[in-house]
Amino acid sequence: MNIASYIDHTVLKPTTLLADVEKCCEEAILYHFAAVCIPPPFVKKAVALLKDTQTKVATVVGFPFGYSAIEAKVAETVLAIIDGMDELDLVINISAIKNNDWQFLASEINAILPVVRRGNKMLKIIIESGILSNDEIIKCCDLYGAAGVDFIKTSTGYAEKGATIEAVQLLRKHLSEKIQIKASGGIKTYTFAKQLIDAGATRIGCSSSVQIVNEAAQQN
């Protein structure tokens, strides 16, 4: 298994420096990671650094709590597209899930997905599986599966509980094969990353990417 090809090499801490983004991109080129996932202000820089490489530039919208207004998320999405991002990791309104307001969530995705599609970009939906019930996760699969998003992503990494094998398996069971799964949050070892991939994940979002690749090399 070429584990690097599954990895979104991530730096999303609130204290992110330009030097952090530059290092992230350098490592992505060296190890051939699938993408870098970086804060919105650094998208232009990452696009320039990764020009003429196969590594994609991903950024976040509504991060990390998801309760920004729909209009704000649309504006963030437009700016990210203008700046040249390839993939958008969107935190949905988790509060709306907990209030059982699925109509709001439908309105949110119906406002944002067409913008992403017009830009010919890829959309990953972050649902924060660690704080959702199984029933809420299944309802997310139904809603976002019907909408036709590209990925459902488990976590932001900011909740108490991140990716789990059980959550990935549940997502895979209730999504069509067309929709991929990105596991993120608390992934620090090759063993865990491989378990998540075996469970159905096609992307791994983590900041311990280099460590994971090195562990993989030692085990294979």
Side-chain angles (χ1 to χ4, degrees):
M1 175 188 292
N2 178 18
I3 189 69
S5 67
Y6 288 85
I7 291 177
D8 285 5
H9 192 27
T10 302
V11 53
L12 289 172
K13 59 188 178 182
T15 56
T16 297
L17 301 174
L18 177 58
D20 298 326
V21 174
E22 290 172 338
K23 180 181 179 183
C24 183
C25 291
E26 289 169 2
E27 291 172 341
I29 294 169
L30 178 63
Y31 292 97
H32 304 287
F33 293 131
V36 298
C37 191
I38 47 116
F42 300 103
V43 169
K44 282 185 180 179
K45 182 65 175 180
V47 169
L49 290 171
L50 294 171
K51 185 180 178 182
D52 300 324
T53 75
Q54 297 299 309
T55 300
K56 304 299 184 183
V57 176
T59 193
V60 290
V61 161
F63 195 85
F65 301 120
Y67 42 45
S68 305
I70 294 174
E71 295 84 354
K73 289 180 177 179
V74 170
E76 287 185 75
T77 300
V78 170
L79 288 172
I81 292 171
I82 290 171
D83 287 346
M85 67 86 185
D86 300 298
E87 302 177 358
L88 193 72
D89 290 29
L90 168 72
V91 187
I92 60 169
N93 192 313
I94 309 301
S95 178
I97 294 179
K98 291 302 182 182
N99 283 283
N100 203 33
D101 192 350
W102 296 93
Q103 183 56 54
F104 178 92
L105 292 161
S107 297
E108 182 179 72
I109 191 62
N110 287 338
I112 296 168
L113 184 58
V115 178
V116 175
R117 291 290 180 251
R118 284 196 296 271
N120 294 314
K121 306 303 182 182
M122 186 173 288
L123 182 62
K124 309 186 194 99
I125 294 294
I126 308 177
I127 66 168
E128 208 66 273
S129 59
I131 58 176
L132 302 183
S133 67
N134 284 354
D135 183 58
E136 288 167 338
I137 292 172
I138 292 168
K139 286 182 178 179
C140 285
C141 290
D142 293 341
L143 175 61
Y144 299 107
V149 302
D150 299 292
F151 281 80
I152 290 186
K153 175 178 171 181
T154 60
S155 322
T156 61
Y158 280 80
E160 293 181 7
K161 186 177 181 182
T164 65
I165 295 166
E166 294 76 17
V168 171
Q169 289 173 333
L170 186 63
L171 288 167
R172 187 69 281 158
K173 180 179 178 181
H174 291 277
L175 289 171
S176 75
E177 293 182 0
K178 295 179 181 179
I179 299 177
Q180 301 183 66
I181 298 168
K182 177 177 173 179
S184 65
I187 305 170
K188 300 182 183 302
T189 68
Y190 168 68
T191 298
F192 188 34
K194 186 176 184 304
Q195 289 172 337
L196 292 164
I197 291 167
D198 290 343
T202 49
R203 283 286 184 92
I204 299 294
C206 58
S207 57
S208 302
S209 314
V210 173
Q211 175 184 323
I212 287 171
V213 170
N214 289 337
E215 287 179 8
Q218 292 171 3
Q219 294 186 33
N220 295 328

